[in-house]
């Protein structure tokens, strides 16, 4: 049966990154303009100038009923276009029709995403990509160059953060940055400068807290507080850093009435450890999160609110831990209204705790949607052999072991082999790449459904930090680089690293909020 061209979306250059200036070469297929008819169907508006070329594409498409096969055929049979036609309008991906304000609670897991994943709900897909981009921003803004004296910090001030990353259209502002101490047993989470006078010897930037602005809040139907955690930046070596044994949550001074609720020790260390001698880490990441969320909840107490936490890789483990902590402490319970919904959108994250941790998280009402690539090794760790996939009777017998892990929440399973844009590779870094996950989300419509890009999100973004796109797209691998590696030429003709604005550490009222939470004494203050 002939395959319809109405389902085909060719790659377009819709960059989300200020460095993405990629233009498909002149042999690319004629550009197609997408218009959304409704939440489940798409139609194509085709200019008359391309009629003959598209007729040829249609003949090619009729050779195979599979859209993936059709896309592959079109990849091989290029149709030349005129020079003035080779540039495709750069724009941000189109939003699906429908009002997120009307259904945001359902999109955020009120009903555990029943009926939204297969077929894939367009609004949910759009929201997942948006929060995934907020997690990706942690990588794009991180200075991982060991020859930079600012290595391990964020390259932008919080006031210019989203604008610098070409993300101002999301309508959020960063309220504070998060820092973690390097004095723990997860060294590959951290990067350090080779310069002795670096910005901090014991701290790394770990993410941020952001709040939707007035206009965006109106569109979203509530004021959204988002926490984004950075993952590791050193390939996948961090898996070897896992202490791989479970420890009780309460042993790290986290509120928990059940001593059998346990989480991976390294994750807990990263979340709770601090360094009194470091101005950025004199408060733990946990204290930074809880105090800021409390401040924001008080500031916007008269509005409808949501707390959304996102992260990739190890960052998704921190997202789940912080979501648990916020709800377990009762921080999200408002005096004059019901609890503020807390949701986690996790990307390629590892297991975090045992089955009792999973059960406690569900009882508390934390909603977790985990987006995974079936070929990614990270979601399979830790607990490679003893995990939630064992028969219930067996799991009950071995559940108390210190390496018995269980995933939490609902899983959305993707497969990079379904994308006609990606080449076969055994590189585990490609399977784990966050931009690749966002690409797969854009083309996912449900199990067994054809891979069709829904928003026109630029496939070139996949190669920002890996080599995953097929070579004939002419997108170089690892193309996202700082201009001249951050060096600038001064008036004297010398090339040097420019000075940056001093990073803010902690707000002056932080100790006040911690004292209200019972996490600090009234007699002492760490503000110095």
């Amino acid at each position: 049966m002939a395959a319809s061209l109405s389902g085909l979306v060719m790659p377009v250059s819709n960059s989300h990154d200020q460095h993405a200036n990629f233009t498909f070469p002149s042999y690319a297929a004629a550009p197609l303009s997408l218009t959304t008819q409704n939440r489940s169907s798409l139609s194509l508006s085709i200019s008359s100038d391309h009629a003959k070329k598209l007729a040829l594409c249609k003949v090619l498409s009729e050779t195979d009923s599979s859209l993936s096969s059709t896309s592959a055929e079109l990849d091989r049979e290029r149709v030349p276009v005129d020079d003035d036609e080779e540039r495709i309008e750069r724009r941000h991906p189109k939003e699906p029709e429908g009002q997120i304000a009307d259904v945001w609670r359902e999109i955020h897991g009120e009903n555990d995403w029943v009926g939204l994943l297969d077929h894939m709900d367009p609004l949910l897909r759009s929201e997942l990509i948006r929060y995934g981009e907020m997690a990706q921003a942690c990588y794009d803004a991180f200075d991982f160059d060991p020859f930079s004296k600012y290595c391990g910090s964020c390259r932008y001030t919080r006031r210019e953060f989203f604008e610098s990353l070409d993300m101002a259209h999301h309508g959020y502002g960063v309220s504070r940055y998060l820092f973690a101490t390097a004095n723990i047993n997860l060294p590959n989470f951290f990067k350090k400068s080779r310069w002795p006078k670096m910005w901090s010897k014991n701290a790394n930037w770990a993410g941020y807290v952001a709040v939707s602005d007035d206009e965006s809040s109106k569109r979203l139907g509530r004021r959204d507080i988002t926490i984004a955690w950075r993952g590791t930046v050193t390939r996948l070596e961090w898996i070897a850093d896992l202490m791989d044994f479970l420890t009780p949550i309460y042993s790290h001074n986290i509120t928990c009435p059940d001593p059998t609720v346990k989480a991976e020790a390294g994750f807990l260390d990263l979340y709770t450890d601090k360094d009194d001698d470091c101005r950025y880490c004199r408060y733990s990441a946990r204290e930074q999160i809880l105090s800021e969320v409390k401040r924001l909840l008080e500031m916007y107490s008269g509005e409808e609110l949501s707390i959304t936490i996102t992260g990739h890789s190890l960052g998704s483990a921190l997202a789940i831990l912080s979501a648990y902590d916020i709800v377990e402490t009762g921080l999200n319970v408002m005096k004059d209204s019901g609890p503020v919904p807390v949701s986690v959108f996790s990307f390629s994250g590892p297991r975090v705790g045992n089955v009792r941790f999973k059960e406690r998280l569900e009882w508390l009402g934390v909603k977790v949607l985990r987006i995974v690539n079936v070929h990614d090794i990270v979601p399979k760790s830790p607990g490679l052999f003893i995990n939630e996939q064992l028969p219930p009777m067996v799991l009950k017998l071995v559940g108390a072991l210190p390496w018995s892990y269980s995933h939490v929440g609902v899983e959305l399973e993707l497969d990079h082999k379904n994308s006609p844009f990606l080449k076969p590779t055994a590189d585990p870094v490609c399977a784990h790449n966050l931009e690749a996950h966002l690409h797969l989300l854009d083309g996912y419509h449900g199990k067994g459904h054809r891979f069709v890009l829904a928003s026109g999100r630029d496939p070139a973004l996949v190669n920002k930090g890996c080599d995953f796109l097929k070579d004939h797209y002419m997108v170089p691998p690892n193309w996202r680089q700082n201009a001249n590696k951050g060096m600038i030429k001064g008036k004297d003709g010398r090339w040097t690293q420019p000075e940056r604005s001093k990073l803010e550490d902690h707000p002056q009222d932080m100790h006040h909020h911690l004292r209200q939470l019972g996490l600090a004494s009234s007699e002492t203050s760490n503000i110095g």
Side-chain angles (χ1 to χ4, degrees):
M1 183 178 293
S4 172
L5 277 178
S6 64
L8 176 62
V9 179
M10 295 303 292
V12 293
S13 183
N14 299 331
S15 174
H16 285 252
D17 191 280
Q18 61 180 347
H19 302 290
N21 295 319
F22 173 77
T23 302
F24 282 91
S26 59
Y27 54 74
L32 305 180
S33 175
L34 254 184
T35 58
T36 306
Q37 292 287 347
N38 50 48
R39 294 174 64 181
S40 61
S41 64
L42 298 172
S43 66
L44 291 174
S45 173
I46 307 173
S47 66
S48 59
D49 294 339
H50 299 142
K52 292 183 179 180
K53 297 167 187 175
L54 289 175
L56 176 57
C57 290
K58 184 174 182 180
V59 171
L60 291 173
S61 71
E62 291 174 348
T63 62
D64 196 317
S65 61
S66 166
L67 180 61
S68 297
S69 299
T70 301
S71 299
E73 190 71 17
L74 290 174
D75 290 340
R76 293 191 292 270
E77 301 292 338
R78 298 290 180 175
V79 181
V81 296
D82 299 331
D83 290 340
D84 62 343
E85 297 172 342
E86 72 176 13
R87 292 189 178 274
I88 302 174
E89 179 187 2
R90 291 182 178 89
R91 64 192 186 279
H92 295 295
K94 294 186 176 182
E95 294 284 344
E97 287 188 355
Q99 296 296 325
I100 185 65
D102 298 333
V103 295
W104 72 265
R105 289 181 178 273
E106 184 180 357
I107 295 297
H108 277 247
E110 183 179 50
N111 300 316
D112 294 317
W113 298 281
V114 174
L116 299 181
L117 302 177
D118 194 15
H119 305 311
M120 186 69 181
D121 182 87
L123 280 174
L124 175 58
R125 179 196 295 109
S126 178
E127 287 294 276
L128 290 177
I129 291 175
R130 182 166 65 84
Y131 285 111
E133 289 173 347
M134 295 179 82
Q136 177 65 39
C138 293
Y139 294 120
D140 294 342
F142 187 72
D143 188 342
F144 52 84
D145 183 1
F147 290 97
S148 167
K149 60 184 176 183
Y150 301 103
C151 181
S153 72
C154 180
R155 293 191 288 116
Y156 312 111
T157 65
R158 63 181 179 87
R159 291 173 181 83
E160 65 181 7
F161 183 83
F162 286 117
E163 184 176 358
S164 299
L165 294 170
D166 194 25
M167 293 176 63
H169 61 284
H170 285 323
Y172 283 71
V174 174
S175 66
R176 75 160 298 163
Y177 280 160
L178 304 173
F179 299 93
T181 176
N183 299 327
I184 62 171
N185 197 39
L186 284 173
N188 280 315
F189 180 77
F190 299 93
K191 296 289 288 184
K192 290 187 177 182
S193 173
R194 298 185 183 183
W195 196 55
K197 296 181 179 180
M198 59 186 295
W199 69 283
S200 175
K201 294 182 179 180
N202 299 319
N204 258 204
W205 181 69
Y208 61 90
V209 182
V211 187
S212 57
D213 60 28
D214 292 344
E215 182 180 352
S216 182
S217 296
K218 184 177 180 180
R219 179 181 63 84
L220 296 173
R222 82 283 185 194
R223 182 79 63 175
D224 185 39
I225 300 170
T226 296
I227 303 167
W229 285 101
R230 176 177 66 81
T232 50
V233 292
T234 56
R235 299 175 68 85
L236 297 180
E237 295 95 334
W238 67 272
I239 295 178
D241 294 333
L242 292 179
M243 298 172 70
D244 199 26
F245 68 85
L246 294 156
T247 186
I249 293 279
Y250 77 88
S251 67
H252 284 67
N253 296 318
I254 298 177
T255 301
C256 184
D258 185 349
T260 65
V261 174
K262 299 179 181 180
E264 201 279 326
F267 300 155
L268 287 170
D269 286 344
L270 183 56
Y271 183 59
T272 61
D273 276 17
K274 55 186 174 181
D275 185 344
D276 293 334
D277 297 325
C278 174
R279 58 175 294 188
Y280 298 100
C281 294
R282 58 175 178 257
Y283 294 111
S284 66
R286 180 195 184 218
E287 292 171 330
Q288 296 168 50
I289 287 285
L290 296 182
S291 61
E292 182 64 9
V293 170
K294 179 173 177 55
R295 184 184 75 85
L296 293 172
L297 290 177
E298 290 179 355
M299 178 182 296
Y300 300 109
S301 59
E303 304 181 28
E304 189 162 16
L305 297 163
S306 65
I307 300 173
T308 313
I309 313 177
T310 186
H312 169 255
S313 189
L314 189 145
S316 76
L318 295 172
I320 291 171
L321 271 181
S322 50
Y324 163 82
D325 197 13
I326 288 170
V327 180
E328 185 72 271
T329 59
L331 184 57
N332 66 317
V333 179
M334 309 294 286
K335 292 182 180 179
D336 302 324
S337 60
V340 175
V342 177
S343 303
V344 177
F345 293 127
S346 157
F347 294 86
S348 55
R351 296 184 178 94
V352 177
N354 63 355
V355 67
R356 291 295 297 126
F357 176 78
K358 170 185 178 294
E359 293 168 351
R360 183 68 182 173
L361 201 72
E362 293 173 348
W363 185 85
L364 290 169
V366 177
K367 301 299 182 179
V368 180
L369 180 59
R370 296 182 296 103
I371 297 91
V372 303
N373 178 359
V374 295
H375 305 288
D376 185 8
I377 64 172
V378 171
K380 300 177 175 63
S381 304
L384 188 61
F385 302 107
I386 305 178
N387 54 57
E388 73 285 345
Q389 297 179 0
L390 291 175
M393 291 300 297
V394 177
L395 189 59
K396 187 175 181 179
L397 293 173
V398 299
L401 295 176
W403 49 86
S404 175
Y405 286 81
S406 179
H407 266 309
V408 302
V410 177
E411 182 175 271
L412 173 57
E413 191 176 83
L414 307 173
D415 187 342
H416 70 243
K417 292 184 179 180
N418 291 333
S419 171
F421 296 90
L422 306 180
K423 61 186 177 183
T425 177
D427 186 351
V429 175
C430 290
H432 187 59
N433 183 270
L434 177 53
E435 282 288 2
H437 280 69
L438 302 185
H439 167 73
L440 295 177
L441 271 173
D442 196 21
Y444 178 80
H445 295 266
K447 293 180 179 178
H449 289 258
R450 298 168 177 174
F451 187 96
V452 184
L453 295 182
S455 70
R457 193 171 191 276
D458 191 353
L461 294 169
V462 172
N463 267 20
K464 279 165 64 174
C466 66
D467 183 8
F468 208 177
L469 281 178
K470 291 179 178 177
D471 293 344
H472 59 237
Y473 290 113
M474 300 298 289
V475 180
N478 302 293
W479 57 260
R480 192 182 194 281
Q481 305 288 331
N482 294 330
N484 298 316
K485 294 190 175 181
M487 299 288 284
I488 60 171
K489 190 176 183 180
K491 294 181 179 179
D492 59 358
R494 293 181 178 273
W495 288 85
T496 59
Q497 290 186 24
E499 296 295 330
R500 294 183 191 167
S501 300
K502 183 179 178 181
L503 278 176
E504 302 175 30
D505 47 17
H506 306 296
Q508 293 297 314
D509 61 351
M510 182 172 174
H511 188 78
H512 165 72
H513 293 295
L514 289 177
R515 191 167 61 246
Q516 289 184 320
L517 290 167
L519 300 178
S521 65
S522 57
E523 291 81 14
T524 60
S525 172
N526 287 334
I527 297 292

